[in-house]
Amino acid sequence: MANPNIVGVTTINGVTAGQEISDVAIATQDDSTTNAIAHNDSNSDKVFKINALYISNVAASGSVSVDVATSDQTNIFHIAKGISVPSNSTLDVLSKPIYLLEGVGLYLKAGATDEAEAVVSYEEIS
């Protein structure tokens, strides 16, 4: 897993993606993972600059508990753990951008009966 030099950038592609947040536990991951809202594959020669992450509770009543973490094949580091989002509300999770190096993903988890969605906006830099 290299850390590509972003001074010599040739391409910056903007990406916005959304997904429902499942109750799948956040664990150390690999390139085949399906529960990441953003995942920078190993040997991609890219860096992902995550600019924004919004989590919405779309349930008519009740709060949702959400975990947000970065993960690779060895480590899990939580950005937010057990954060409560009230019904019909949206939370802006990031106050500053973060970078995902090769082989690192951004993962979300909600409680089993919760109704939560997320939208992420990032740049793929190569």
Side-chain angles (χ1 to χ4, degrees):
M1 286 186 275
N3 184 2
N5 181 352
I6 59 175
V7 172
V9 171
T10 57
T11 305
I12 300 175
N13 292 318
V15 178
T16 299
Q19 75 178 39
E20 292 181 357
I21 305 175
S22 74
D23 62 348
V24 174
I26 297 171
T28 54
Q29 305 293 327
D30 61 27
D31 287 344
S32 65
T33 186
T34 59
N35 65 338
I37 194 161
H39 190 275
N40 189 358
D41 292 336
S42 298
N43 303 313
S44 69
D45 291 327
K46 296 178 181 177
V47 172
F48 288 9
K49 181 181 179 191
I50 309 294
N51 295 310
L53 176 63
Y54 302 101
I55 296 175
S56 296
N57 180 349
V58 296
S61 64
S63 63
V64 58
S65 178
V66 177
D67 296 344
V68 179
T70 62
S71 179
D72 60 19
Q73 293 181 10
T74 308
N75 302 296
I76 300 168
F77 296 105
H78 285 87
I79 296 168
K81 179 109 170 115
I83 196 156
S84 182
V85 182
S87 64
N88 295 315
S89 296
T90 300
L91 173 69
D92 183 354
V93 177
L94 299 176
S95 61
K96 303 241 186 295
I98 61 171
Y99 291 94
L100 299 182
L101 303 181
E102 292 177 337
V104 178
L106 183 63
Y107 298 89
L108 310 170
K109 178 192 176 295
T113 60
D114 299 325
E115 296 181 43
E117 299 174 348
V119 173
V120 66
S121 178
Y122 63 96
E123 299 164 9
E124 287 185 5
I125 303 169
S126 60

